[in-house]
mmCIF file with all atom_site columns, all heavy atoms in Angstrom:
data_model
loop_
_atom_site.group_PDB
_atom_site.id
_atom_site.type_symbol
_atom_site.label_atom_id
_atom_site.label_alt_id
_atom_site.label_comp_id
_atom_site.label_asym_id
_atom_site.label_entity_id
_atom_site.label_seq_id
_atom_site.pdbx_PDB_ins_code
_atom_site.Cartn_x
_atom_site.Cartn_y
_atom_site.Cartn_z
_atom_site.occupancy
_atom_site.B_iso_or_equiv
_atom_site.pdbx_formal_charge
_atom_site.auth_seq_id
_atom_site.auth_comp_id
_atom_site.auth_asym_id
_atom_site.auth_atom_id
_atom_site.pdbx_PDB_model_num
ATOM 1  N N   . VAL A 1 1  ? 101.051 111.104 106.575 1.00 69.00 ? 275 VAL A N   1
ATOM 2  C CA  . VAL A 1 1  ? 102.297 110.398 106.685 1.00 69.00 ? 275 VAL A CA  1
ATOM 3  C C   . VAL A 1 1  ? 103.347 111.011 105.768 1.00 69.00 ? 275 VAL A C   1
ATOM 4  O O   . VAL A 1 1  ? 104.494 111.139 106.141 1.00 69.00 ? 275 VAL A O   1
ATOM 5  C CB  . VAL A 1 1  ? 102.102 108.886 106.352 1.00 69.00 ? 275 VAL A CB  1
ATOM 6  C CG1 . VAL A 1 1  ? 103.396 108.170 106.262 1.00 69.00 ? 275 VAL A CG1 1
ATOM 7  C CG2 . VAL A 1 1  ? 101.186 108.236 107.376 1.00 69.00 ? 275 VAL A CG2 1
ATOM 8  N N   . VAL A 1 8  ? 107.763 107.811 110.928 1.00 79.00 ? 282 VAL A N   1
ATOM 9  C CA  . VAL A 1 8  ? 106.450 107.228 111.201 1.00 79.00 ? 282 VAL A CA  1
ATOM 10 C C   . VAL A 1 8  ? 106.544 105.722 110.999 1.00 79.00 ? 282 VAL A C   1
ATOM 11 O O   . VAL A 1 8  ? 107.035 105.275 109.949 1.00 79.00 ? 282 VAL A O   1
ATOM 12 C CB  . VAL A 1 8  ? 105.365 107.819 110.288 1.00 79.00 ? 282 VAL A CB  1
ATOM 13 C CG1 . VAL A 1 8  ? 104.033 107.148 110.511 1.00 79.00 ? 282 VAL A CG1 1
ATOM 14 C CG2 . VAL A 1 8  ? 105.260 109.306 110.491 1.00 79.00 ? 282 VAL A CG2 1
ATOM 15 N N   . ALA A 1 13 ? 96.374  97.314  110.100 1.00 68.00 ? 287 ALA A N   1
ATOM 16 C CA  . ALA A 1 13 ? 95.402  96.703  110.980 1.00 68.00 ? 287 ALA A CA  1
ATOM 17 C C   . ALA A 1 13 ? 94.756  95.527  110.237 1.00 68.00 ? 287 ALA A C   1
ATOM 18 O O   . ALA A 1 13 ? 94.649  95.534  109.019 1.00 68.00 ? 287 ALA A O   1
ATOM 19 C CB  . ALA A 1 13 ? 94.344  97.725  111.383 1.00 68.00 ? 287 ALA A CB  1
ATOM 20 N N   . ALA A 1 22 ? 100.828 89.810  122.566 1.00 80.00 ? 296 ALA A N   1
ATOM 21 C CA  . ALA A 1 22 ? 101.605 89.110  121.526 1.00 80.00 ? 296 ALA A CA  1
ATOM 22 C C   . ALA A 1 22 ? 102.691 90.011  120.969 1.00 80.00 ? 296 ALA A C   1
ATOM 23 O O   . ALA A 1 22 ? 102.548 91.241  120.940 1.00 80.00 ? 296 ALA A O   1
ATOM 24 C CB  . ALA A 1 22 ? 100.686 88.650  120.405 1.00 80.00 ? 296 ALA A CB  1
ATOM 25 N N   . PRO A 1 32 ? 113.430 104.933 103.633 1.00 90.00 ? 306 PRO A N   1
ATOM 26 C CA  . PRO A 1 32 ? 113.690 105.882 102.543 1.00 90.00 ? 306 PRO A CA  1
ATOM 27 C C   . PRO A 1 32 ? 114.941 106.707 102.826 1.00 90.00 ? 306 PRO A C   1
ATOM 28 O O   . PRO A 1 32 ? 115.127 107.192 103.936 1.00 90.00 ? 306 PRO A O   1
ATOM 29 C CB  . PRO A 1 32 ? 112.427 106.769 102.532 1.00 90.00 ? 306 PRO A CB  1
ATOM 30 C CG  . PRO A 1 32 ? 111.891 106.677 103.920 1.00 90.00 ? 306 PRO A CG  1
ATOM 31 C CD  . PRO A 1 32 ? 112.316 105.340 104.461 1.00 90.00 ? 306 PRO A CD  1
ATOM 32 N N   . GLY A 1 35 ? 120.135 110.397 100.516 1.00 81.00 ? 309 GLY A N   1
ATOM 33 C CA  . GLY A 1 35 ? 121.560 110.596 100.303 1.00 81.00 ? 309 GLY A CA  1
ATOM 34 C C   . GLY A 1 35 ? 122.216 111.526 101.316 1.00 81.00 ? 309 GLY A C   1
ATOM 35 O O   . GLY A 1 35 ? 123.420 111.698 101.287 1.00 81.00 ? 309 GLY A O   1
ATOM 36 N N   . ALA A 1 39 ? 119.575 111.463 106.873 1.00 87.00 ? 313 ALA A N   1
ATOM 37 C CA  . ALA A 1 39 ? 118.727 110.330 106.520 1.00 87.00 ? 313 ALA A CA  1
ATOM 38 C C   . ALA A 1 39 ? 119.427 109.017 106.814 1.00 87.00 ? 313 ALA A C   1
ATOM 39 O O   . ALA A 1 39 ? 118.828 108.058 107.294 1.00 87.00 ? 313 ALA A O   1
ATOM 40 C CB  . ALA A 1 39 ? 118.317 110.407 105.056 1.00 87.00 ? 313 ALA A CB  1
ATOM 41 N N   . PRO A 1 44 ? 121.830 102.295 111.338 1.00 93.00 ? 318 PRO A N   1
ATOM 42 C CA  . PRO A 1 44 ? 122.145 101.336 112.399 1.00 93.00 ? 318 PRO A CA  1
ATOM 43 C C   . PRO A 1 44 ? 120.915 100.907 113.198 1.00 93.00 ? 318 PRO A C   1
ATOM 44 O O   . PRO A 1 44 ? 120.766 99.718  113.526 1.00 93.00 ? 318 PRO A O   1
ATOM 45 C CB  . PRO A 1 44 ? 123.149 102.097 113.281 1.00 93.00 ? 318 PRO A CB  1
ATOM 46 C CG  . PRO A 1 44 ? 123.763 103.105 112.358 1.00 93.00 ? 318 PRO A CG  1
ATOM 47 C CD  . PRO A 1 44 ? 122.642 103.515 111.429 1.00 93.00 ? 318 PRO A CD  1
ATOM 48 N N   . ALA A 1 51 ? 116.802 93.047  112.551 1.00 94.00 ? 325 ALA A N   1
ATOM 49 C CA  . ALA A 1 51 ? 117.358 91.824  113.128 1.00 94.00 ? 325 ALA A CA  1
ATOM 50 C C   . ALA A 1 51 ? 116.512 91.323  114.281 1.00 94.00 ? 325 ALA A C   1
ATOM 51 O O   . ALA A 1 51 ? 116.301 90.114  114.443 1.00 94.00 ? 325 ALA A O   1
ATOM 52 C CB  . ALA A 1 51 ? 118.790 92.082  113.583 1.00 94.00 ? 325 ALA A CB  1
ATOM 53 N N   . LEU A 1 57 ? 114.923 94.080  105.262 1.00 93.00 ? 331 LEU A N   1
ATOM 54 C CA  . LEU A 1 57 ? 115.211 95.517  105.285 1.00 93.00 ? 331 LEU A CA  1
ATOM 55 C C   . LEU A 1 57 ? 115.461 95.964  103.862 1.00 93.00 ? 331 LEU A C   1
ATOM 56 O O   . LEU A 1 57 ? 116.307 95.422  103.163 1.00 93.00 ? 331 LEU A O   1
ATOM 57 C CB  . LEU A 1 57 ? 116.454 95.783  106.152 1.00 93.00 ? 331 LEU A CB  1
ATOM 58 C CG  . LEU A 1 57 ? 116.894 97.216  106.312 1.00 93.00 ? 331 LEU A CG  1
ATOM 59 C CD1 . LEU A 1 57 ? 115.828 98.050  107.002 1.00 93.00 ? 331 LEU A CD1 1
ATOM 60 C CD2 . LEU A 1 57 ? 118.186 97.280  107.092 1.00 93.00 ? 331 LEU A CD2 1
ATOM 61 N N   . GLU A 1 58 ? 114.708 96.964  103.433 1.00 93.00 ? 332 GLU A N   1
ATOM 62 C CA  . GLU A 1 58 ? 114.843 97.475  102.072 1.00 93.00 ? 332 GLU A CA  1
ATOM 63 C C   . GLU A 1 58 ? 115.148 98.956  102.132 1.00 93.00 ? 332 GLU A C   1
ATOM 64 O O   . GLU A 1 58 ? 114.467 99.705  102.833 1.00 93.00 ? 332 GLU A O   1
ATOM 65 C CB  . GLU A 1 58 ? 113.566 97.226  101.270 1.00 93.00 ? 332 GLU A CB  1
ATOM 66 C CG  . GLU A 1 58 ? 113.686 97.553  99.828  1.00 93.00 ? 332 GLU A CG  1
ATOM 67 C CD  . GLU A 1 58 ? 112.502 97.070  99.000  1.00 93.00 ? 332 GLU A CD  1
ATOM 68 O OE1 . GLU A 1 58 ? 111.665 96.326  99.522  1.00 93.00 ? 332 GLU A OE1 1
ATOM 69 O OE2 . GLU A 1 58 ? 112.432 97.445  97.833  1.00 93.00 ? 332 GLU A OE2 1
ATOM 70 N N   . LEU A 1 59 ? 116.168 99.372  101.416 1.00 91.00 ? 333 LEU A N   1
ATOM 71 C CA  . LEU A 1 59 ? 116.552 100.771 101.334 1.00 91.00 ? 333 LEU A CA  1
ATOM 72 C C   . LEU A 1 59 ? 115.979 101.355 100.057 1.00 91.00 ? 333 LEU A C   1
ATOM 73 O O   . LEU A 1 59 ? 116.157 100.801 98.975  1.00 91.00 ? 333 LEU A O   1
ATOM 74 C CB  . LEU A 1 59 ? 118.070 100.928 101.355 1.00 91.00 ? 333 LEU A CB  1
ATOM 75 C CG  . LEU A 1 59 ? 118.788 100.246 102.513 1.00 91.00 ? 333 LEU A CG  1
ATOM 76 C CD1 . LEU A 1 59 ? 120.290 100.466 102.410 1.00 91.00 ? 333 LEU A CD1 1
ATOM 77 C CD2 . LEU A 1 59 ? 118.266 100.721 103.847 1.00 91.00 ? 333 LEU A CD2 1
ATOM 78 N N   . PRO A 1 64 ? 114.738 113.946 94.241  1.00 78.00 ? 338 PRO A N   1
ATOM 79 C CA  . PRO A 1 64 ? 113.862 115.101 94.068  1.00 78.00 ? 338 PRO A CA  1
ATOM 80 C C   . PRO A 1 64 ? 113.085 114.982 92.751  1.00 78.00 ? 338 PRO A C   1
ATOM 81 O O   . PRO A 1 64 ? 113.498 114.297 91.830  1.00 78.00 ? 338 PRO A O   1
ATOM 82 C CB  . PRO A 1 64 ? 114.827 116.285 94.044  1.00 78.00 ? 338 PRO A CB  1
ATOM 83 C CG  . PRO A 1 64 ? 116.189 115.732 93.912  1.00 78.00 ? 338 PRO A CG  1
ATOM 84 C CD  . PRO A 1 64 ? 116.141 114.280 94.238  1.00 78.00 ? 338 PRO A CD  1
ATOM 85 N N   . ALA A 1 80 ? 125.285 104.456 103.351 1.00 66.00 ? 354 ALA A N   1
ATOM 86 C CA  . ALA A 1 80 ? 124.278 103.463 102.954 1.00 66.00 ? 354 ALA A CA  1
ATOM 87 C C   . ALA A 1 80 ? 124.920 102.307 102.198 1.00 66.00 ? 354 ALA A C   1
ATOM 88 O O   . ALA A 1 80 ? 124.431 101.191 102.253 1.00 66.00 ? 354 ALA A O   1
ATOM 89 C CB  . ALA A 1 80 ? 123.171 104.110 102.137 1.00 66.00 ? 354 ALA A CB  1
#
Side-chain angles (χ1 to χ4, degrees):
V275 172
V282 176
L331 181 63
E332 188 169 351
L333 307 180

